[in-house]
Amino acid sequence: MTEPRVVVIGAGVAGISTAYVLQQQGFTDWVVLEKGSDVGGVWYWNHYPGLTCDVPSQIYQFAFAPKPDWERVWATGPQIQRYHRDVVDELGLADRIRCDTEVLAAEFDDADGTWTLTLSTGETMVADFVVCATGVLENPAIPDIDGLADFAGPVVHTARWDDSLVTDGRKIAVIGTGSTGVQVVSALQPGAAGITHFVRSPQWVLWAPMGLPQVGAVSALFRRAPGLLDRVHRGLLWGSGILADIVTTPSWRRRAVQAYARLSLRAQAPARLREDLTPDYEPLCKRQVVSGSYYRAIRARNASLVTERITGVEPGGVRTADGRLHEADVLVLATGFRAHDYMRPMEVTGREGIKLDDAWADGPRAYRMTAVPGFPNLFTVLGPNSPTGSISLQFSAELSAKYIAQWLTRFRDGELATVEVTEEATDAFNRQVAEAMVPTVWNTGCNSWYFTEGGTIDLWPFDRKTMVRMLSRPEDADFHVRVPAR
Ligand code: N01
């Protein structure tokens, strides 16, 4: 038996799931490296006002760590972050996680089949396997707007919020209308002297009562009956299968949700703003925004909506194409993420010196979310084509980690030294993906962060059963396996 040395990069949803699986399966030589000062991933980095998870808490949690007593049906960011800390502590994973440790580079050694990692602490680390659990929405996208650096007041990206920033009583400009922009505008509007929301492309906003508490009696029942909690979680996972079906297959269900999005706009948006707030693409095409408060916030007297194109930022505010200067003291960038970076800016060098940046010049390309040709013994959890927005992320992360653990077990059993997915299998998978993308709602004529540089849609277009089938057992024919030298 040769115990594999495993480095997991990232301690968010994907990293915690991987850590749990490694612990459960008795692996002993592994560590999780996390560049942030705490676990949680996006929930550590994002702490902007109003941050709420628009997926119900009873499904946005690990199946292996069900929480009976969420305070709200849709938990807030701080509640979810506390949950991640508790899970890590309660499962005894904390000692395995090294925070404030960024992996700057990873290089594969063809001769001995190991990875050498260069860390921000100045150390190097050698591993037999690297698992990149680095997340999708990690690197903030800073817009290239003329004069941004000249703004006189604070400029803050929502994913790097400054908790000491005072917004009450000030004039705030918010750029961006995704899930984040809508949440931050709703939260900042009540205290602001004025809030201007710059909307380049309006989004459909599904109305939901996001502040709804989880009734105490329900929490008490779940605490007393863990079996029931488990059944509810499974039921919700099954229900999320319906959601996956809605976005991937045209049907009456999709039309019903789209009708509800149109109704939300008609019923909630102020008549004077309705035209400006109406998208020119189908509901669900972009990642659906859900909010119970945005339309109320944007019709407030201190709020204004600007659809005119931004031409530049000046010390005193934001200038638009009609020549107007929209004065502001604080500029909030809710401009999203470089969603296809994955483990980058880490510099990854694979077999024969292949650089990940070159391999992914046209956008990320992987096999079943987990493996990349040219990069032996390197796996991804919540990697390319992860089901952001349809199937539970926690479910897919755990499933991927269990799949990867099967390769680690074979290493431990002396059956392999290195394993690398083939180009052919990766191409075949990506052809399947492209074909399955055709009828999806994401392909109905909108622009979103789902699209890669190469124009492909970086999501999971299949159902949950297919995911389970694809990630149940590795198919040896899809991999080059090198056996250990005797
Ligand atoms: O980012 P986005 P996000 N000038 O990319 C605009 C998850 N999430 O942070 O559409 C003007 O959706 C851009 O305009 P356009 C969720 O998966 C989850 O809001 O490109 N505008 C767009 O409006 C979500 O989808 C929760 O025309 C500019 C916005 O910025 C994902 O995170 C909560 C611009 C970016 O929207 C990302 O959401 C929050 C420019 N130069 C987020 N550049 C949950 O509740 C960009 N924009 C779980």
Coordinates of all heavy atoms in Angstrom, one line a residue, residues 145-209:
I145 N -13.6 50.5 -17.3 CA -14.4 51.8 -17.6 C -13.4 52.9 -17.4 O -12.7 53.0 -16.4 CB -15.5 52.0 -16.5 CG1 -16.5 50.8 -16.6 CG2 -16.3 53.3 -16.8 CD1 -17.6 50.8 -15.6
D146 N -13.4 53.8 -18.4 CA -12.5 55.0 -18.4 C -12.6 55.8 -17.1 O -13.8 56.1 -16.6 CB -12.9 56.0 -19.5 CG -12.1 55.8 -20.7 OD1 -11.2 54.8 -20.7 OD2 -12.3 56.6 -21.7
G147 N -11.5 56.1 -16.5 CA -11.6 57.0 -15.3 C -11.9 56.3 -14.0 O -12.0 57.0 -13.0
L148 N -12.0 55.0 -14.0 CA -12.5 54.3 -12.8 C -11.5 54.7 -11.6 O -11.9 54.9 -10.5 CB -12.5 52.8 -13.0 CG -13.2 51.9 -12.0 CD1 -14.6 52.3 -11.7 CD2 -13.1 50.4 -12.4
A149 N -10.2 54.7 -11.9 CA -9.2 55.0 -10.9 C -9.3 56.4 -10.4 O -8.7 56.7 -9.3 CB -7.8 54.7 -11.4
D150 N -10.0 57.3 -11.1 CA -10.0 58.7 -10.7 C -11.2 59.0 -9.7 O -11.3 60.1 -9.3 CB -10.2 59.6 -11.9 CG -9.1 59.4 -12.9 OD1 -7.9 59.0 -12.5 OD2 -9.3 59.5 -14.2
F151 N -12.0 58.0 -9.5 CA -13.2 58.3 -8.6 C -12.7 58.8 -7.3 O -11.8 58.2 -6.7 CB -14.0 57.0 -8.5 CG -15.3 57.3 -7.8 CD1 -16.3 58.1 -8.4 CD2 -15.6 56.7 -6.5 CE1 -17.5 58.3 -7.7 CE2 -16.8 56.9 -5.9 CZ -17.7 57.7 -6.4
A152 N -13.3 59.9 -6.8 CA -12.8 60.5 -5.5 C -13.1 59.7 -4.3 O -12.4 59.7 -3.3 CB -13.4 61.9 -5.4
G153 N -14.2 58.9 -4.3 CA -14.7 58.2 -3.1 C -14.2 56.7 -3.2 O -13.5 56.4 -4.1
P154 N -14.7 55.9 -2.3 CA -14.4 54.5 -2.3 C -15.0 53.8 -3.5 O -16.2 54.0 -3.8 CB -14.9 54.0 -1.0 CG -15.6 55.0 -0.3 CD -15.5 56.3 -1.1
V155 N -14.2 52.9 -4.1 CA -14.8 52.0 -5.2 C -14.6 50.6 -4.6 O -13.6 50.2 -4.2 CB -13.9 52.1 -6.5 CG1 -14.5 51.1 -7.5 CG2 -13.9 53.5 -7.0
V156 N -15.8 49.9 -4.5 CA -15.7 48.5 -3.9 C -16.4 47.5 -4.8 O -17.5 47.8 -5.3 CB -16.3 48.6 -2.5 CG1 -17.7 48.9 -2.5 CG2 -16.0 47.3 -1.8
H157 N -15.7 46.4 -5.0 CA -16.4 45.3 -5.7 C -17.1 44.5 -4.6 O -16.6 44.3 -3.5 CB -15.3 44.4 -6.4 CG -16.0 43.4 -7.3 ND1 -16.6 42.2 -6.8 CD2 -16.2 43.3 -8.7 CE1 -17.1 41.5 -7.8 NE2 -16.8 42.2 -9.0
T158 N -18.3 44.0 -5.0 CA -19.1 43.3 -4.0 C -18.4 42.1 -3.4 O -18.6 41.8 -2.2 CB -20.4 42.9 -4.6 OG1 -20.1 42.3 -5.9 CG2 -21.4 44.1 -4.8
A159 N -17.6 41.4 -4.2 CA -16.9 40.2 -3.7 C -15.7 40.5 -2.8 O -15.0 39.6 -2.3 CB -16.5 39.3 -4.8
R160 N -15.4 41.8 -2.6 CA -14.3 42.2 -1.7 C -14.8 43.4 -0.9 O -14.1 44.4 -0.8 CB -13.0 42.6 -2.6 CG -12.4 41.5 -3.4 CD -11.8 40.4 -2.5 NE -11.2 39.3 -3.3 CZ -11.9 38.2 -3.7 NH1 -13.2 38.0 -3.4 NH2 -11.3 37.3 -4.5
W161 N -15.9 43.2 -0.4 CA -16.6 44.3 0.4 C -15.7 44.8 1.6 O -15.1 43.9 2.2 CB -18.0 43.9 0.9 CG -18.8 45.0 1.3 CD1 -19.0 45.4 2.6 CD2 -19.5 45.9 0.5 NE1 -19.8 46.6 2.6 CE2 -20.1 46.9 1.3 CE3 -19.7 46.0 -0.9 CZ2 -20.9 47.9 0.8 CZ3 -20.5 47.0 -1.4 CH2 -21.1 48.0 -0.5
D162 N -15.7 46.1 1.8 CA -15.0 46.6 2.9 C -16.0 46.9 4.0 O -16.9 47.7 3.9 CB -14.3 47.9 2.5 CG -13.7 48.7 3.6 OD1 -13.8 48.2 4.8 OD2 -13.2 49.8 3.4
D163 N -15.9 46.1 5.1 CA -17.0 46.2 6.1 C -17.0 47.5 6.9 O -17.9 47.8 7.6 CB -16.8 45.0 7.1 CG -17.2 43.7 6.5 OD1 -18.0 43.6 5.6 OD2 -16.6 42.6 6.9
S164 N -15.9 48.2 6.7 CA -15.8 49.5 7.4 C -16.5 50.6 6.6 O -16.6 51.8 7.0 CB -14.4 49.9 7.8 OG -13.7 50.2 6.6
L165 N -16.9 50.3 5.4 CA -17.4 51.3 4.5 C -18.8 51.8 5.0 O -19.7 51.0 5.3 CB -17.6 50.7 3.1 CG -18.1 51.6 2.0 CD1 -17.1 52.7 1.6 CD2 -18.4 50.7 0.7
V166 N -18.9 53.1 5.1 CA -20.1 53.7 5.5 C -20.9 54.1 4.3 O -20.4 54.8 3.4 CB -19.9 55.0 6.4 CG1 -21.2 55.7 6.7 CG2 -19.1 54.6 7.6
T167 N -22.1 53.6 4.1 CA -22.9 53.9 3.0 C -24.2 54.7 3.3 O -24.7 55.4 2.5 CB -23.4 52.6 2.2 OG1 -24.0 51.8 3.2 CG2 -22.2 51.9 1.6
D168 N -24.6 54.6 4.6 CA -25.8 55.3 5.0 C -25.5 56.8 4.9 O -24.5 57.3 5.2 CB -26.1 55.0 6.5 CG -26.9 53.7 6.6 OD1 -27.1 53.1 5.5 OD2 -27.3 53.4 7.7
G169 N -26.5 57.5 4.3 CA -26.5 59.0 4.2 C -25.6 59.4 3.0 O -25.3 60.6 2.9
R170 N -25.1 58.5 2.2 CA -24.3 58.8 1.1 C -25.0 58.5 -0.2 O -25.9 57.7 -0.3 CB -22.9 58.1 1.2 CG -22.3 58.5 2.5 CD -21.0 57.7 2.7 NE -19.9 58.4 2.1 CZ -18.6 57.9 2.2 NH1 -18.3 56.8 2.8 NH2 -17.6 58.6 1.6
K171 N -24.4 59.1 -1.3 CA -25.0 58.9 -2.6 C -24.2 57.7 -3.2 O -23.0 57.7 -3.3 CB -24.8 60.1 -3.5 CG -25.8 61.2 -3.2 CD -25.6 62.4 -4.1 CE -24.7 63.3 -3.5 NZ -24.3 64.5 -4.1
I172 N -24.9 56.7 -3.5 CA -24.3 55.4 -4.0 C -24.6 55.1 -5.4 O -25.8 55.2 -5.8 CB -24.8 54.2 -3.1 CG1 -24.6 54.6 -1.6 CG2 -24.0 52.9 -3.4 CD1 -25.4 53.6 -0.7
A173 N -23.6 54.8 -6.2 CA -23.8 54.3 -7.5 C -23.5 52.8 -7.5 O -22.5 52.4 -7.0 CB -22.9 55.0 -8.5
V174 N -24.4 52.0 -8.1 CA -24.2 50.6 -8.2 C -24.2 50.2 -9.7 O -25.1 50.5 -10.4 CB -25.3 49.8 -7.5 CG1 -25.0 48.3 -7.6 CG2 -25.3 50.2 -6.0
I175 N -23.1 49.5 -10.1 CA -23.1 49.0 -11.5 C -23.3 47.5 -11.5 O -22.5 46.8 -10.8 CB -21.7 49.4 -12.2 CG1 -21.5 50.9 -12.1 CG2 -21.7 48.9 -13.6 CD1 -20.1 51.3 -12.7
G176 N -24.2 47.0 -12.3 CA -24.5 45.6 -12.4 C -25.8 45.2 -11.9 O -26.3 45.6 -10.8
T177 N -26.4 44.3 -12.7 CA -27.8 43.9 -12.4 C -28.0 42.4 -12.2 O -29.1 41.9 -12.5 CB -28.7 44.3 -13.6 OG1 -28.1 45.4 -14.2 CG2 -30.1 44.7 -13.2
G178 N -26.9 41.7 -11.9 CA -27.1 40.3 -11.6 C -27.7 40.0 -10.3 O -28.2 41.0 -9.6
S179 N -27.6 38.8 -9.8 CA -28.1 38.5 -8.5 C -27.5 39.4 -7.4 O -28.2 39.8 -6.5 CB -27.7 37.0 -8.1 OG -28.2 36.2 -9.1
T180 N -26.2 39.7 -7.6 CA -25.5 40.5 -6.6 C -26.0 41.9 -6.6 O -26.4 42.5 -5.6 CB -24.0 40.5 -6.8 OG1 -23.6 39.1 -6.9 CG2 -23.3 41.2 -5.7
G181 N -26.0 42.5 -7.8 CA -26.5 43.9 -7.9 C -27.8 44.1 -7.3 O -28.1 45.1 -6.6
V182 N -28.7 43.2 -7.6 CA -30.1 43.3 -7.1 C -30.1 43.2 -5.6 O -30.9 44.0 -4.9 CB -31.0 42.2 -7.8 CG1 -32.2 41.9 -7.1 CG2 -31.2 42.6 -9.3
Q183 N -29.3 42.3 -5.0 CA -29.3 42.2 -3.6 C -28.7 43.4 -2.9 O -29.2 43.9 -1.9 CB -28.5 40.9 -3.1 CG -29.2 39.6 -3.5 CD -28.5 38.4 -3.0 OE1 -27.4 38.5 -2.5 NE2 -29.2 37.3 -3.1
V184 N -27.6 43.9 -3.5 CA -26.9 45.0 -2.8 C -27.8 46.3 -2.9 O -27.8 47.1 -2.0 CB -25.5 45.1 -3.3 CG1 -25.4 45.9 -4.6 CG2 -24.6 45.8 -2.3
V185 N -28.4 46.5 -4.0 CA -29.3 47.7 -4.2 C -30.4 47.7 -3.2 O -30.7 48.6 -2.5 CB -29.8 47.8 -5.6 CG1 -31.0 48.8 -5.7 CG2 -28.7 48.3 -6.6
S186 N -31.0 46.5 -3.1 CA -32.1 46.3 -2.1 C -31.7 46.6 -0.7 O -32.4 47.2 0.1 CB -32.7 44.9 -2.1 OG -33.0 44.6 -3.4
A187 N -30.5 46.2 -0.3 CA -30.0 46.4 1.0 C -29.5 47.8 1.3 O -29.7 48.3 2.4 CB -28.8 45.4 1.3
L188 N -28.9 48.5 0.3 CA -28.3 49.8 0.6 C -29.4 50.9 0.4 O -29.2 52.0 1.0 CB -27.2 50.1 -0.4 CG -25.9 49.1 -0.2 CD1 -24.8 49.6 -1.2 CD2 -25.4 49.2 1.2
Q189 N -30.4 50.7 -0.4 CA -31.3 51.8 -0.7 C -31.9 52.4 0.6 O -32.0 53.7 0.6 CB -32.4 51.2 -1.6 CG -33.6 52.2 -1.9 CD -34.7 52.1 -0.9 OE1 -35.0 51.0 -0.5 NE2 -35.2 53.2 -0.4
P190 N -32.4 51.7 1.6 CA -33.1 52.3 2.7 C -32.3 53.4 3.4 O -32.8 54.4 3.8 CB -33.5 51.2 3.6 CG -33.5 50.0 2.7 CD -32.5 50.2 1.7
G191 N -31.0 53.2 3.5 CA -30.2 54.1 4.3 C -29.5 55.2 3.5 O -28.9 56.1 4.0
A192 N -29.5 55.0 2.1 CA -28.7 55.9 1.3 C -29.3 57.3 1.1 O -30.6 57.4 1.2 CB -28.6 55.2 -0.1
A193 N -28.5 58.3 0.9 CA -29.0 59.6 0.6 C -29.6 59.5 -0.8 O -30.6 60.2 -1.2 CB -27.9 60.6 0.6
G194 N -29.0 58.7 -1.7 CA -29.5 58.4 -3.0 C -28.8 57.2 -3.5 O -27.7 56.9 -3.2
I195 N -29.5 56.4 -4.4 CA -28.9 55.3 -4.9 C -29.2 55.2 -6.4 O -30.4 55.4 -6.8 CB -29.3 53.9 -4.2 CG1 -28.4 52.8 -4.7 CG2 -30.7 53.6 -4.3 CD1 -28.3 51.6 -3.7
T196 N -28.2 55.1 -7.3 CA -28.4 55.0 -8.7 C -27.9 53.7 -9.2 O -26.8 53.3 -8.9 CB -27.5 56.1 -9.4 OG1 -27.7 57.4 -8.8 CG2 -27.9 56.2 -10.9
H197 N -28.8 53.0 -9.8 CA -28.5 51.6 -10.3 C -28.3 51.7 -11.8 O -29.2 52.0 -12.5 CB -29.7 50.7 -9.9 CG -29.3 49.2 -10.1 ND1 -30.2 48.2 -10.0 CD2 -28.0 48.6 -10.3 CE1 -29.5 47.0 -10.1 NE2 -28.2 47.3 -10.3
F198 N -27.1 51.3 -12.2 CA -26.7 51.4 -13.6 C -27.0 50.0 -14.2 O -26.4 49.0 -13.8 CB -25.3 51.7 -13.8 CG -25.0 53.2 -13.5 CD1 -24.7 53.5 -12.2 CD2 -25.2 54.2 -14.4 CE1 -24.5 54.8 -11.8 CE2 -25.0 55.5 -14.1 CZ -24.6 55.8 -12.8
V199 N -27.9 49.9 -15.2 CA -28.4 48.7 -15.7 C -28.1 48.6 -17.2 O -28.7 49.3 -18.0 CB -29.9 48.6 -15.5 CG1 -30.5 47.4 -16.2 CG2 -30.3 48.6 -14.0
R200 N -27.1 47.8 -17.5 CA -26.7 47.6 -18.9 C -27.7 46.7 -19.6 O -28.2 47.0 -20.7 CB -25.3 47.1 -19.1 CG -24.8 47.0 -20.5 CD -23.3 46.9 -20.6 NE -22.8 45.6 -20.1 CZ -21.6 45.2 -20.1 NH1 -20.6 46.1 -20.5 NH2 -21.2 44.1 -19.6
S201 N -28.0 45.6 -18.9 CA -29.0 44.7 -19.4 C -29.9 44.3 -18.3 O -29.5 43.8 -17.3 CB -28.4 43.3 -19.9 OG -27.1 43.5 -20.4
P202 N -31.2 44.7 -18.4 CA -32.1 44.4 -17.2 C -32.2 42.8 -17.1 O -32.0 42.1 -18.1 CB -33.4 45.0 -17.6 CG -33.3 45.4 -19.0 CD -31.9 45.4 -19.4
Q203 N -32.5 42.4 -15.9 CA -32.7 41.0 -15.6 C -34.1 40.7 -15.2 O -34.8 41.5 -14.6 CB -31.8 40.6 -14.5 CG -30.3 40.7 -14.7 CD -29.7 39.3 -14.8 OE1 -30.3 38.3 -15.2 NE2 -28.5 39.2 -14.5
W204 N -34.6 39.5 -15.6 CA -35.9 39.1 -15.0 C -35.6 38.8 -13.5 O -34.6 38.2 -13.1 CB -36.3 37.8 -15.7 CG -36.7 38.0 -17.1 CD1 -35.9 37.7 -18.2 CD2 -37.9 38.5 -17.6 NE1 -36.5 38.0 -19.3 CE2 -37.7 38.6 -19.0 CE3 -39.0 39.1 -17.1 CZ2 -38.7 39.1 -19.9 CZ3 -40.0 39.6 -17.9 CH2 -39.9 39.6 -19.3
V205 N -36.6 39.3 -12.7 CA -36.4 39.1 -11.2 C -37.6 38.3 -10.7 O -38.7 38.8 -10.8 CB -36.3 40.5 -10.5 CG1 -36.1 40.3 -9.0 CG2 -35.1 41.3 -11.1
L206 N -37.4 37.1 -10.3 CA -38.5 36.3 -9.8 C -38.8 36.7 -8.4 O -37.9 36.8 -7.6 CB -38.1 34.8 -9.7 CG -38.3 33.9 -10.9 CD1 -38.0 32.5 -10.5 CD2 -39.6 34.0 -11.5
W207 N -40.0 37.0 -8.1 CA -40.4 37.4 -6.7 C -40.4 36.2 -5.8 O -41.0 35.2 -6.2 CB -41.7 38.1 -6.7 CG -42.0 38.6 -5.3 CD1 -41.6 39.8 -4.8 CD2 -42.7 38.0 -4.3 NE1 -42.0 40.0 -3.5 CE2 -42.7 38.8 -3.1 CE3 -43.3 36.7 -4.2 CZ2 -43.2 38.5 -1.9 CZ3 -43.9 36.4 -3.0 CH2 -43.9 37.2 -1.9
A208 N -39.8 36.3 -4.7 CA -39.9 35.2 -3.6 C -39.7 35.9 -2.3 O -39.0 36.9 -2.2 CB -38.9 34.2 -3.8
P209 N -40.4 35.4 -1.2 CA -40.3 36.0 0.1 C -39.0 35.7 0.8 O -39.0 34.8 1.7 CB -41.6 35.5 0.8 CG -41.8 34.1 0.2 CD -41.3 34.2 -1.2

